[in-house]
Amino acid sequence: MRSRRLFAITRKEVLQLRRDRRSLIFAFVLPLFLLIIFGYAISWDVRNIAMVVLDYDRSQASRAVIDAFRSSGYFTVVQEVSKPADVDRVIDRGTATLALTIPPGFARRLRSGTAQLQAIADGSDANTATIALGYAEVILLNYGVRLIDVGPTLQSARAGRSAGPTFPLTTQSRVWYNEELRSRNMIVPGLVAVIMAIIAAILTSLTIAREWDRGTMEQLASTPVTPFEVVIGKLIPYAAIGLIDIAAITVTGVLLFRVPFRGSVVLLFAMSLLFLIGALGVGIFISAVARTQLVATQAAMVVTYLPSFLLSGFIYTIDNMPPVLRFVTYLVPARYFLVVTRGIFLKGIGLGALGVQAMLMIAFAVIGLSLSMWRFRKVIE
């Protein structure tokens, strides 16, 4: 490999990029646009769940239960109705997701030791319904614990005795790395992996195809440059663009979305560079196979966007997938880069904890480069 020929290929690609304003806009504006759109649009936080209440008892105890739902921060009582038909109407119209029914005599049964409530969830949105019922169970459990604790205390005070501990087990929960359980703290680092997988492959998917469309492939093939020099020369400008995009996405994520960044910037860029090399190599491979810019772009979207978005663990938990799809996820490089970005952003872990992912990123870079050089050699032969 001669540095002069490599520099000439790189300079040629930079000049083409400067003349192609659409590619520059695509390279620098689209990643931030996708980050902002996905960052605000995708959320797994379920709050302000609309709830309708049917309170037959209308006692102090039933009002206390309703207030416990209101003060939880997860439920909003949008309507209080007087008959079951109104509950059906509200649920059918989608006005409320959860209906709470408090039967007559609730306070009396509660004083005797056992009382029942009915919670009805709209199962047309199974995920929200499951979360809403889980929240409701926790709220009622905490309400019951308070009753266990307060009841004997009041009796002891009336009898003139000091109140001791009344509940034998207490639990303190602590969440590491994402203390507020904000889904945005998971989404934004994941978007770094997903967006760069898409952008890198699509940008370079046009390189060889552009040569065919402009009729310059024959001239390039007739020069003494080697396939390695062509691939590396075309890859260098896009790798630089990718690193700039990652820096912009990181800064935007920290400043705009308030995502913590606890790890090493150097490690993030080093791992990102390995991932970019592999993704750019796959893009060049697609470009050499497709030969037309339209087909290359469409192929790059299918090969990168769908697997990175659906099979990397970004949206859906891999452990919940069918066995066949779980096996397929091992072939998706974004799966491993997702672990890297979330680990560096949220956990602040180093290379010791990311050694396996680092080796896989190196393997991905080697495979991407090998595929692109092999296909380009086949093209010029």
Side-chain angles (χ1 to χ4, degrees), residues 25-26 38 40 45-46 54 94 112 119 129 171 198 202 210 222 244-245 253 281 306 309 319 325 327 343 379:
I25 293 174
F26 184 88
F38 287 150
Y40 282 113
D45 297 332
V46 180
L54 175 58
S112 67
T171 302
I198 300 168
I202 291 179
R210 189 186 296 120
S222 63
I244 294 172
D245 286 340
L306 294 178
F309 200 79
D319 291 338
L325 286 182
F327 174 78
V379 167

Side-chain angles (χ1 to χ4, degrees), residues 282-363:
V282 170
I284 294 177
F285 170 76
I286 293 173
S287 181
V289 171
R291 294 200 175 193
T292 63
Q293 296 187 53
L294 178 60
V295 175
T297 303
Q298 293 174 342
M301 286 292 291
V302 172
V303 171
T304 60
Y305 175 72
L306 294 178
S308 299
F309 200 79
L310 300 177
L311 299 178
S312 65
F314 172 63
I315 292 291
Y316 306 108
T317 304
I318 293 176
D319 291 338
N320 295 336
M321 296 180 184
V324 174
L325 286 182
R326 284 204 301 270
F327 174 78
V328 174
T329 62
Y330 287 104
L331 305 177
V332 179
R335 167 180 175 162
Y336 310 109
F337 192 44
L338 191 74
V339 176
V340 171
T341 55
R342 285 178 176 170
I344 293 176
F345 267 81
L346 302 180
K347 299 180 181 181
I349 55 181
L351 188 59
L354 296 173
V356 174
Q357 284 73 26
M359 296 301 296
L360 290 169
M361 291 296 98
I362 293 173

Side-chain angles (χ1 to χ4, degrees), residues 22-281:
R22 289 176 299 180
S23 295
L24 289 177
I25 293 174
F26 184 88
F28 291 110
V29 177
L30 186 60
L32 292 178
F33 176 77
L34 292 176
L35 174 68
I36 293 172
I37 292 296
F38 287 150
Y40 282 113
I42 301 174
S43 177
W44 298 307
D45 297 332
V46 180
R47 296 181 181 271
N48 299 319
I49 302 169
M51 184 176 75
V52 59
V53 175
L54 175 58
D55 185 4
Y56 285 111
D57 195 53
R58 296 192 177 277
S59 62
Q60 183 177 357
S62 66
R63 302 307 303 177
V65 171
I66 298 171
D67 290 339
F69 276 86
R70 282 198 176 101
S71 61
S72 68
Y74 295 104
F75 292 92
T76 301
V77 178
V78 295
Q79 195 171 350
E80 295 190 30
V81 297
S82 58
K83 54 183 183 295
D86 295 333
V87 173
D88 295 341
R89 174 177 51 81
V90 173
I91 295 292
D92 290 344
R93 292 180 177 178
T95 307
T97 301
L98 187 78
L100 181 69
T101 301
I102 303 177
F106 170 75
R108 175 173 49 81
R109 292 189 181 92
L110 195 63
R111 286 192 296 270
S112 67
T114 303
Q116 292 183 341
L117 296 172
Q118 184 185 54
I120 303 172
D122 182 1
S124 60
D125 185 349
N127 183 56
T128 302
T130 303
I131 294 174
L133 289 174
Y135 288 163
E137 289 178 2
V138 172
I139 291 170
L140 293 174
L141 177 63
N142 291 335
Y143 178 77
V145 169
R146 287 200 301 271
L147 290 179
I148 293 173
D149 190 48
V150 171
T153 301
L154 292 177
Q155 294 176 5
S156 300
R158 289 170 185 168
R161 300 190 300 269
S162 60
T166 58
F167 199 63
L169 179 65
T170 59
T171 302
Q172 275 192 336
S173 299
R174 182 173 297 176
V175 178
W176 287 5
Y177 310 127
N178 187 9
E179 295 80 0
E180 299 176 0
L181 293 177
R182 296 172 67 236
S183 62
R184 196 167 290 168
N185 289 352
M186 293 177 57
I187 291 170
V188 172
L191 284 173
V192 176
V194 174
I195 292 174
M196 294 319 302
I198 300 168
I199 298 299
I202 291 179
L203 280 176
T204 50
S205 68
L206 303 177
T207 55
I208 306 299
R210 189 186 296 120
E211 302 285 355
W212 286 109
D213 288 348
R214 293 177 178 177
T216 57
M217 176 55 72
E218 290 79 5
Q219 299 176 6
L220 184 63
S222 63
T223 61
V225 293
T226 64
F228 182 78
E229 291 168 343
V230 172
V231 170
I232 297 298
K234 287 181 172 293
L235 186 144
I236 289 175
Y238 295 105
I241 291 173
L243 292 177
I244 294 172
D245 286 340
I246 288 175
I249 291 173
T250 301
V251 172
T252 304
V254 172
L255 297 182
L256 181 61
F257 294 104
R258 305 294 181 185
V259 177
F261 187 92
R262 301 186 174 106
S264 167
V265 175
V266 175
L267 181 60
L268 175 64
F269 274 83
M271 300 288 274
S272 299
L273 180 60
L274 292 175
F275 179 76
L276 283 171
I277 291 173
L280 293 170

